Amino acid sequence: METEIFFNQQANTLQGRLAVRSKQRAAIITHPHPLYGGDMDNAVVATIVAAYAQMQWATLRFNFRGTGQSEGRFDDGIGEQEDVQAAIDHLGQQGFEQIDLAGYSFGTWVLARWSRNHHPHSHALRFVAPPVAFLDFENQRDLPGLRDVFVGRHDDLAPLDQIQRSLPYWQPTARLHVIENADHFFGARLTPLQTEITAALMG
């Protein structure tokens, strides 16, 4: 049901895949680190898309600048925030009223920085495996809009204990979901991850 699209971010054209299942609510899904092979075809990204699709949300996943057929160059999470804004603008122009921002790994770091730099905003954020042991999430700063964090019990890049300490600073009302027997890449635990995300969207 996904259709390949291209949308503009100032000087760059970005590659994405859009599935319109709803005219009111949509989710933008961001991918892991492009310098380590991350792109919108990542299995965890596809799992997040599937969870939103199961709940009949429209979904837009896209490649950050310099990844796949997206123009530009990697910009260490700075220009990538502009890519997120371009995706939001693209969906906004199509009339979507509710737009969630969901990411995996590096994609959560970009969303965290975007959220703080665009506060106040009306978007709900959902993070899968925020790599707090690898990237600086400014763990004692408020993170506007954060609703849910999903993490594997055995994730070395997103250690559960570190996220548990950070969550009260980020957003005291955000919910933490622990996927048992899962590491940062989720491996054979993609189905439980999808189930947990779907349940969170219902709640």
Side-chain angles (χ1 to χ4, degrees):
M1 295 176 63
E2 290 180 295
T3 301
E4 186 173 60
I5 65 167
F6 292 88
F7 58 97
N8 293 324
Q9 186 286 310
Q10 297 179 359
N12 297 321
T13 297
L14 302 177
Q15 175 193 22
R17 290 205 194 99
L18 176 66
V20 179
R21 303 174 187 87
S22 164
K23 292 291 187 181
Q24 286 78 41
R25 56 186 191 174
I28 293 167
I29 298 94
T30 56
H31 66 72
H33 209 302
L35 298 188
Y36 298 90
D39 60 21
M40 68 177 177
D41 293 317
N42 174 270
V44 177
V45 170
T47 298
I48 301 171
V49 169
Y52 274 96
Q54 190 173 340
M55 298 303 296
Q56 297 303 307
W57 286 60
T59 54
L60 172 60
R61 53 172 149 169
F62 70 94
N63 279 327
F64 285 125
R65 58 185 61 201
T67 303
Q69 295 182 47
S70 290
E71 296 175 344
R73 294 188 300 175
F74 175 72
D75 197 27
D76 199 25
I78 300 171
E80 286 79 5
Q81 296 173 60
E82 298 173 2
D83 298 345
V84 170
Q85 186 61 53
I88 293 170
D89 292 344
H90 181 76
L91 290 181
Q93 291 163 7
Q94 297 192 29
F96 288 99
E97 298 174 0
Q98 180 181 355
I99 301 173
D100 269 19
L101 306 176
Y104 167 47
S105 195
F106 171 83
T108 67
W109 184 60
V110 174
L111 293 180
R113 299 179 75 186
W114 178 93
S115 180
R116 287 170 173 149
N117 289 331
H118 290 80
H119 180 65
H121 62 78
S122 61
H123 305 284
L125 277 65
R126 293 186 164 91
F127 287 178
V128 176
V132 293
F134 178 63
L135 294 166
D136 183 7
F137 275 76
E138 299 180 80
N139 291 339
Q140 295 188 8
R141 281 190 62 193
D142 179 43
L143 218 168
L146 184 63
R147 295 280 181 85
D148 296 280
V149 177
F150 306 86
V151 62
R153 174 74 68 181
H154 307 296
D155 191 333
D156 292 335
L157 294 177
L160 179 58
D161 60 343
Q162 193 170 337
I163 290 173
Q164 287 173 323
R165 290 194 301 269
S166 302
L167 208 54
Y169 295 99
W170 288 350
Q171 193 65 247
T173 59
R175 299 173 296 186
L176 179 62
H177 309 260
V178 180
I179 311 301
E180 298 296 337
N181 302 311
D183 61 11
H184 192 67
F185 305 101
F186 291 89
R189 306 301 291 164
L190 291 173
T191 297
L193 174 62
Q194 180 177 335
T195 300
E196 196 71 22
I197 298 172
T198 302
L201 292 173
M202 292 175 66

